[in-house]
Amino acid sequence: MSAHDNSAPVAQPARFAFTPANLEKAKAHIAKYPPGRQASAVLPLLDLAQRQHDNWLPRAAMDVVADMLGMARIRVYEVATFYTMFNLKPVGKHFFQICTTTPCWLRGSDAVVAACKKKLGIGIGQTTADGMFTLKEVECLGACVNAPIIQVNDDFYEDLDGRSTEALIDALKRGEKPPVGSVKQRQTSAPDGGPTTLKDLSFAGGKR
Amino acid sequence: MSDGGGGLAGRTIKFFLDEAEVEALPGETIWQVAQRNGVEIPHLCYSPEPGYRPDGNCRACMVEIEGERVLAASCVRKPAAGMKVRSASERAKFSRKMVFDLLVSDQPSRNAHPDPDSKFWRWADKVGVAAGRFPATHHPKPDRSHPAMAVRLDACIECNLCVRACREVQVNDVIGMAARNHDAKIIFDFDDPMGASTCVACGECVQACPTGALIESALVDERGVQAQKPNREVDSVCPYCGVGCQITYKIKDDKLLYVDGRTGPSNLNRLCVKGRFGFDYVSHPQRLTKPMIRKPGMKKDAHAPLDPSNPWSHFREATWDEALDVAAAGLKKIRDAHGPKGLAGFGSAKGSNEEAYLFQKLVRAGFGTNNVDHCTRLCHASSVAGLLEGIGSGAVTAPFMAAKDADVIVIIGANPAENHPVAATFFKNAVKRGATLIVMDPRGQALKRHATHMLQFKPSRDVAMLSAMLNVIISEGLADKQYVQAHTEDFDKVAESVKDRTPEKMAPVCGIDAETLRTVARKFARAEAAIIFWGMGISQHVHGTDNTRCLIALSLITGQVGRPGTGLHPLRGQNNVQGASDVGLIPMFFPDYMSVEDPARRAFYEKLWGAKLDPKRGLTVVEIVNAIHADEIHGMYIMGENPAMSDPDVQHAREALAKLDHLVVQDLFLTETAYYADVFLPGSAWPEKTGTVSNTNRQVQMGRQALPLPGDARHDLWIIQELARRLGLGWNYAGPADVFAEMKQGMPSLDNITWERVDRESSVTYPCSAPDKPGDDIVFSDGFPTKSGRGRLVPVEIRPPAEEPDEQYPMVLTTGRQLEHWHTGAMTRRASVLDAIEPEAHTSLSPGDMARMGISSGAMVRVSTRRGTIELRARPDNAVPPGMIFIPFCYAEAAANVLTNPQLDPMGKIPEFKFCAARLDPIAATAAAE
Ligand code: SF4
Ligand code: SF4
Ligand code: FES
Ligand code: FES
């Protein structure tokens, strides 16, 4: 699908089936909606399928979801191609979504992208030969205060620069899972370099 | 008007359009009001055709509304009282022009465009945009994977009309709009090539597309650039199925380029693949356009293979005079030697009413026998028998359009998505509207996805299943007592007969669990309005009439007849099977189902036709074949019918045809039947003649000649008349209008319907109460045309099929049609698009059976019954239940009817095409390799 990438055709598995545990979850999602409105569960079900299937959504899974929800298959294809969060071809184990929208860009996302490319030897939209990393450029991830950001699978790594990006990749390559959030040890979105107000928490008994 | 006048006017709204005060009907948009008032507003994503809702996405139709900050899309915006709309303000025009500017920028250049005369370009011209000022972006490659349609998405403006065509109008759900923003694009399934997608080629999208991005392949060259365009058009009706879709032929000189759907009452512009793309059979190289006479001494071998490309091995060319003389002399000789009983005729349900009428008149008045029949015998004879007995009329009580008013729609023994495709679209529309759809059929089908209940019962156990429903309705007190009392008779007999047939007892017989039987019976009985449609799955059984009786009982005891959204509707198969039967092309009836054994009626026709008539009913299709074998019938005249393919146990039928002393065949091709002819008379194809046809909805419609007759071919009406003259009948009809006028004299059903009226209105429903009123869509709101005026309820026995599976023949064979092919394939297999889509004989099998027997997809298999054996390719099909073999009967190279059982329903005399015992064997792998 052109929204995602135009490279080689995807080898589609012939079959897909939810695991018993996921099937239960799927049923719970469907049960949230009134009769005749099962189609409302399409997004959570597609997400469930993608999580079960190495973070990408094969056609067979969309067909299963369509049939479960009594939807025409084409409707599910439309949904799956509309939302860029669905991967329609295989992605690496570590799926990097690098934000390059204005705030991240002003804060140095160019260097982050460059570090990724250099370290992994691949371009945006590509996957390393060992199937470990995929790079994708995305629009605002909604965490601009800690720009620039990379989302790796479900986790945000924030306040990145070229060096810390390389360090992140190295750690992932070693099989570690670096702590999520700001790589500068910043407390959530408190000001860079530490709090500038409310330093003295006298109201809380003078504790700092 | 708005001053409390009441009625419609009370709900209209007045507003101002470009200073003039105008009125909007309820629900009308600004665009529609403007259109009605002759104010043109450009539009691209909106189509005013029936079935298309406005989507408001292209912004080509913007208008200014006083007091509103932004412009409004007139195609979706509804006016409010007093609103001041300016359709031609500078601001509105500028905005619309900008839309075209942006769109034209992205279009291929006009001289390399698939359709430089498209709606899009015509509007661009009017708006005044010849070239875009913006850089172009997308240039997708053309997709030429489909045999009938070209895809050039570089000309697509993403107006979404094709999506609505595919999803909301025809409800095929193949086309979608994928991705978003500048990546948005039209896709077929998961962006498959169109030709590889699940597209059923109805062509609705092509007719809807305003740019030519989707277009008939016939109109573009290999680059997808316009190659030719029509210079005239003729309105007519589709020659294929009983739906009777109205069409417009688009013609260049004398060549048919393409066909568009027209707003007929049964199709509202829609068509299926056959009616849109199935016409080039008329110019197929095998078309015969010279009269021919069998060469002397040329044997008729029932087993010899036939080469329809080369008739000259068996025939020689003749002049019309010679051929007609020989044809008539042969028939006369038999009449003189053996009496009228020595002759018989098969007419056709594919010709016009006028041809059918003249044909039966020729057989009755010229041959002197009632041995005249046609393929209705093979399709709905038992339905008609049951209906005549039960409600006194063999036609439908309501058109299929009544589905739009129904709460519950039952479709049993029918597969409309393949056999009545346009009717199926209206059923799907009804489901979208909220109707409950109950499909009952041993074989799955495309409508299953839309069905609330799908009852895949055991083949041939219809009576058991329907009896259980009757049992539930009666025992639970759901019958409509008032209706039963007022309008039916023999309710008690039926109640008694189904008393013990509880769902629990019938469940193991029919294979549907008791709970489902109860649910479905209750839904049907309790519905405000419920309607039943059926097809050959009901009629083509030895208990076909019994099946029909059950459906009639179901409908009558619940009072589900005679009101909007209710009724009994056997979906008629052929374009004119209703009409051919109406005009008497059947052995027991004169026109309008008047018994040939009724002396008064006979006297009427003896006077009208000036001939002595046979006082006894004649033989039916299968009986005629048997009578040939029994040396009773020696000569036949067959017009447009192909019994050598369509009859059950077809080898037996072929042997009969080969045995005839004299056979006259009138057709377009050297059909399997024509092969045994002594004289061949080349007739006219549907687009080459004018005449009326009557569809399944009782609509008499006008077919008009669009193309000249090729070579020496002649109008069938002329041929019949010439034969009649040579048999001593002094006929002198100037044309179909004359025949229609005569036909009417004996047909009260055609009261108030004249040739001129049908020509003027293109379609008139019968019965019709006045020359200036539309006909009655829904009949029998107050009683039935039976002797007692009541509907007769008839109890039935549960009877097994004539041939049950056994050890030697362990499976069930059932036959039918498929979407692309028509009847015996004589026309459709010579239509290039249709044959390209389905080129080869195959049998559909359950994937489970195939795995069990080690048969791979596409492998050759052998199917045998007690009557014969054929070999063909296996195709896995989830719709087919285990133990069943389904074979379409259109393939001459593996004719399904070699296998079928000629056992007849005792009343309808219809053979049991839907059930016989068969065996399936894989053929050694070497042969299967492809
Ligand atoms: S293909 Fe034609 S109908 Fe479909 S979106 Fe494009 S322009 Fe509209
Ligand atoms: S539905 Fe029937 S009448 Fe209509 S186009 Fe198709 S074959 Fe012709
Ligand atoms: S711009 Fe990167 S997270 Fe918002
Ligand atoms: S025609 Fe009105 S928005 Fe397209």
Side-chain angles (χ1 to χ4, degrees), chain B residues 240-292:
Chain B
Y240 289 109
C241 89
V243 169
C245 297
Q246 292 197 4
I247 59 174
T248 301
Y249 299 112
K250 306 279 185 168
I251 305 156
K252 182 176 185 198
D253 307 326
D254 282 332
K255 194 171 171 291
L256 181 58
L257 289 190
Y258 71 103
V259 166
D260 258 353
R262 193 158 61 103
T263 37
S266 70
N267 67 313
L268 304 180
N269 285 338
R270 304 174 193 187
L271 294 178
C272 79
V273 60
K274 293 186 288 290
R276 195 181 294 277
F277 298 119
F279 285 90
D280 59 355
Y281 71 91
V282 302
S283 51
H284 190 275
Q286 290 176 348
R287 176 81 188 268
L288 298 177
T289 60
K290 296 264 184 238
M292 304 189 304

Side-chain angles (χ1 to χ4, degrees), chain B residues 415-437:
Chain B
N415 184 359
E418 307 232 15
N419 299 332
H420 301 86
V422 167
T425 66
F426 293 104
F427 302 154
K428 292 182 278 189
N429 294 158
V431 172
K432 286 210 164 199
R433 192 228 337 127
T436 298
L437 175 65

Side-chain angles (χ1 to χ4, degrees), chain B residues 281-519:
Chain B
Y281 71 91
V282 302
S283 51
H284 190 275
Q286 290 176 348
R287 176 81 188 268
L288 298 177
T289 60
K290 296 264 184 238
M292 304 189 304
I293 293 178
R294 196 173 197 86
K295 287 183 181 164
M298 192 46 76
K299 238 180 87 223
K300 299 178 183 177
D301 182 349
H303 296 272
L306 146 111
D307 177 10
S309 298
N310 180 22
W312 310 121
S313 57
H314 290 66
F315 296 89
R316 68 171 173 83
E317 198 179 314
T319 64
W320 271 105
D321 269 335
E322 187 193 8
L324 288 164
D325 288 345
V326 174
L331 295 167
K332 232 194 299 189
K333 195 169 134 203
I334 293 168
R335 188 180 66 185
D336 296 343
H338 301 276
K341 292 265 168 290
L343 291 174
F346 288 161
S348 171
K350 286 199 239 337
S352 67
N353 284 321
E354 295 73 28
E355 289 163 5
Y357 174 82
L358 273 202
F359 189 91
Q360 59 91 35
K361 179 177 172 185
L362 172 71
V363 173
R364 294 198 153 111
F367 295 4
T369 171
N370 286 317
N371 291 340
V372 60
D373 207 355
H374 72 290
C375 53
T376 188
R377 194 63 42 210
L378 308 176
C379 56
H380 264 308
S382 48
S383 308
V384 172
L387 286 167
L388 283 172
E389 168 197 75
I391 63 172
S393 158
V396 301
T397 74
F400 58 70
M401 287 296 193
K404 78 174 189 317
D405 302 313
D407 306 307
V408 171
I409 300 167
V410 173
I411 297 175
I412 176 165
N415 184 359
E418 307 232 15
N419 299 332
H420 301 86
V422 167
T425 66
F426 293 104
F427 302 154
K428 292 182 278 189
N429 294 158
V431 172
K432 286 210 164 199
R433 192 228 337 127
T436 298
L437 175 65
I438 300 169
V439 179
M440 303 173 165
D441 201 299
R443 207 156 53 96
Q445 53 174 275
L447 286 183
K448 183 175 179 174
R449 182 165 76 78
H450 305 271
T452 323
H453 300 275
M454 173 83 206
L455 277 57
Q456 280 183 259
F457 61 100
K458 289 191 197 161
S460 190
R461 311 299 149 170
D462 316 58
V463 171
M465 178 178 68
L466 297 170
S467 292
M469 287 178 65
L470 289 167
N471 172 288
V472 172
I473 293 169
I474 295 173
S475 67
E476 297 188 1
L478 299 174
D480 182 340
K481 293 197 191 69
Q482 257 182 352
Y483 187 89
V484 167
Q485 251 175 20
H487 295 301
T488 71
E489 60 194 9
D490 294 343
F491 174 78
D492 296 341
K493 286 189 193 158
V494 167
E496 180 60 30
S497 75
V498 299
K499 200 177 67 198
D500 295 327
R501 298 182 193 160
T502 60
E504 288 69 24
K505 273 196 203 148
M506 293 299 110
V509 182
C510 67
I512 302 296
D513 66 275
E515 205 33 55
T516 304
L517 290 170
R518 283 189 191 281
T519 310

Side-chain angles (χ1 to χ4, degrees), chain B residues 42-89:
Chain B
H43 61 113
L44 293 171
C45 74
Y46 172 63
S47 164
E49 300 300 336
Y52 288 87
R53 74 177 158 77
D55 197 42
N57 69 51
C58 77
R59 320 314 270 179
C61 67
M62 303 310 269
V63 293
E64 194 169 356
I65 297 173
E66 194 178 285
E68 293 192 6
R69 190 177 56 84
V70 294
L71 301 177
S74 62
C75 69
V76 273
R77 183 66 184 273
K78 301 212 170 106
M83 188 185 253
K84 292 196 170 65
V85 177
R86 278 191 278 279
S87 78
S89 72

